[in-house]
Amino acid sequence: MPRSTVARIDLDALKHNFRLAQAKAGDARAMAVVKADGYGHGIAAVAKALADDAGKFAVACLEEALALRAAGIRQPVAMLQGVHSQRDLAVCRQRGFEPVLHNGVQLEWLAGDSAPSFWLKVNTGMNRLGFRPDDLPAVMAKLEASGCGHHVLGFVTHFACADDPASAMTHDQTAVFERATAPWPDLMRSVGNSAAHFLPDQPLYDWSRPGIMLYGASPMIAATGPELGLKPVMTLEAPLIATRVVGPGESIGYGATWVADTETRMGMVAIGYGDGYPRHAGTGTPAAVRGTRISLLGRVSMDMLAVNLTGAPEAQEGDMVELWGGTVSVDEVAACAGTIGYELLTGVTARVPRAHE
């Protein structure tokens, strides 16, 4: 019989979060970002759950777009990283994929009427991908001359600091984007990552791109998902497989990093960094059992971790421990591990089955 460690996926919570994103997008339409296997939630199940609400999906790369078609998704799919070879363009045209092109080499691969519909990435200051704003007129002229101009759907950019409401960079990037794209008012525009949905008065234009918020984790540095009205989609659970009492002076786990100063009842939970739980989450990281918050003790091992059961005296072997979910936010665990909820959700390994509910 397999162990009962599981990631439970609440598809109703997912739908709630998408509808919240759409409401916050105002006049813009929200495309559902399902890259990285639906942020670790299962790309096929996530996309099918959102198929009645989302008019467009977004992924990073071609293999993810193909996974959506294999799952029966028929909506257009934006490919945010563009294409990696010329032959990918033919696949995009055949399958209804919309690559986001971001450099001159990709433009050279285009060929007149055989080109797919595509977006152009504008580098407004993040300096990862995209054409510089001053180069956009020459880019558009080249596309018109090659017969590909009518395939351009619109322009995309990405914000570097939208998670920080105190930063002026999002305002500055928006202004750069507005000026750069103004000569083509009939083309669509897309700027809004999850964080941008929570910035007052931030224009989202034609299409927003909610990602992490769909899965209930916070895109903002100063708030958790629940504080933003988001519902947790993944509940990561594992069984309590042993309990014991340790006395003063006894330690737990590798490195003996936690030592009891009083008699302490503790338990071992069947999950570890081999399952994607963060090794850097140490003593004090919250968890829950029977709805009661508890905390980790010592170092996380590959297959197990220890918890303090002092505050949950009724907990016993066989009980399921929530590592994150409705009682303990994934954002709280991420903060304790020195990372972000994105990494935790996408890092849950294939050893942990997903149960879509």
Side-chain angles (χ1 to χ4, degrees):
M1 180 177 178
R3 62 180 187 156
S4 50
T5 301
V6 65
R8 300 193 182 280
I9 310 301
D10 184 343
L11 297 176
D12 285 336
L14 176 77
K15 295 175 186 177
H16 164 86
N17 295 337
F18 180 83
R19 290 165 185 165
L20 179 64
Q22 183 59 77
K24 287 187 170 294
D27 292 335
R29 297 184 68 189
M31 67 175 82
V33 182
V34 296
K35 61 183 181 175
D37 195 29
Y39 285 61
H41 294 67
I43 189 171
V46 163
K48 287 177 181 178
L50 295 178
D52 289 340
D53 290 308
K56 192 188 297 285
F57 288 90
V59 297
C61 51
L62 181 61
E63 54 267 36
E64 293 175 337
L66 290 170
L68 290 180
R69 290 290 181 259
I73 299 301
R74 294 290 170 254
Q75 285 92 329
V77 180
M79 290 167 42
L80 301 177
Q81 205 175 85
V83 292
H84 296 273
S85 73
Q86 186 171 16
R87 63 179 176 271
D88 293 345
L89 291 169
V91 178
C92 290
R93 181 174 175 82
Q94 293 163 5
R95 306 303 297 273
F97 303 151
E98 302 171 355
V100 178
L101 304 186
H102 54 80
N103 64 47
V105 173
Q106 292 173 330
L107 299 188
E108 293 293 337
W109 292 340
L110 295 170
D113 286 336
S114 65
S117 297
F118 61 90
W119 299 80
L120 291 175
K121 183 71 170 281
V122 184
N123 176 18
T124 57
M126 192 165 187
N127 288 311
R128 294 196 309 187
L129 303 174
F131 298 97
R132 290 190 177 278
D134 291 346
D135 294 337
L136 214 52
V139 168
M140 291 297 289
K142 183 175 182 177
L143 290 170
E144 289 294 339
S146 68
C148 295
H150 63 287
H151 293 291
V152 181
L153 293 166
F155 305 99
V156 171
T157 198
H158 195 55
F159 293 138
C161 298
D163 60 340
D164 182 3
S167 173
M169 190 169 180
T170 305
H171 175 271
D172 294 344
Q173 284 189 262
T174 302
V176 170
F177 186 74
E178 287 248 9
R179 289 194 299 270
T181 60
W184 303 278
D186 294 333
L187 296 182
M188 293 186 291
R189 293 179 287 181
S190 174
V191 301
N193 57 4
S194 287
H197 290 73
F198 296 95
L199 296 179
D201 303 318
Q202 172 60 45
L204 297 182
Y205 303 103
D206 299 289
W207 285 96
S208 72
R209 306 190 305 273
I212 191 64
M213 70 177 294
L214 301 185
Y215 308 96
S218 174
M220 310 301 289
I221 60 173
T224 65
E227 289 170 343
L228 296 173
L230 302 169
K231 294 184 178 181
V233 177
M234 180 188 291
T235 298
L236 184 63
E237 296 180 335
L240 193 63
I241 58 173
T243 63
R244 71 178 67 245
V245 175
V246 294
E250 290 190 286
S251 64
I252 294 174
Y254 286 119
T257 59
W258 184 85
V259 179
D261 54 12
T262 61
E263 190 172 88
T264 303
R265 184 167 181 259
M266 51 80 67
M268 296 305 301
V269 185
I271 196 168
Y273 61 78
D275 302 291
Y277 190 86
R279 184 176 181 273
H280 291 99
T283 298
T285 300
V289 63
R290 296 192 178 195
T292 298
R293 289 169 69 96
I294 55 176
S295 59
L296 271 62
L297 295 174
R299 287 184 183 169
V300 174
S301 301
M302 182 180 289
D303 311 305
M304 290 178 284
L305 55 80
V307 291
N308 189 334
L309 296 176
T310 301
E314 296 182 356
Q316 58 187 344
E317 288 89 343
D319 284 347
M320 294 299 287
V321 174
E322 176 191 304
L323 287 311
W324 61 68
T327 305
V328 174
S329 149
V330 68
D331 302 309
E332 293 181 80
V333 179
C336 290
T339 186
I340 53 179
Y342 303 67
E343 183 178 18
L344 299 193
L345 294 175
T346 60
V348 177
T349 68
R351 187 165 77 165
V352 179
R354 274 62 166 176
H356 297 93
E357 302 172 344

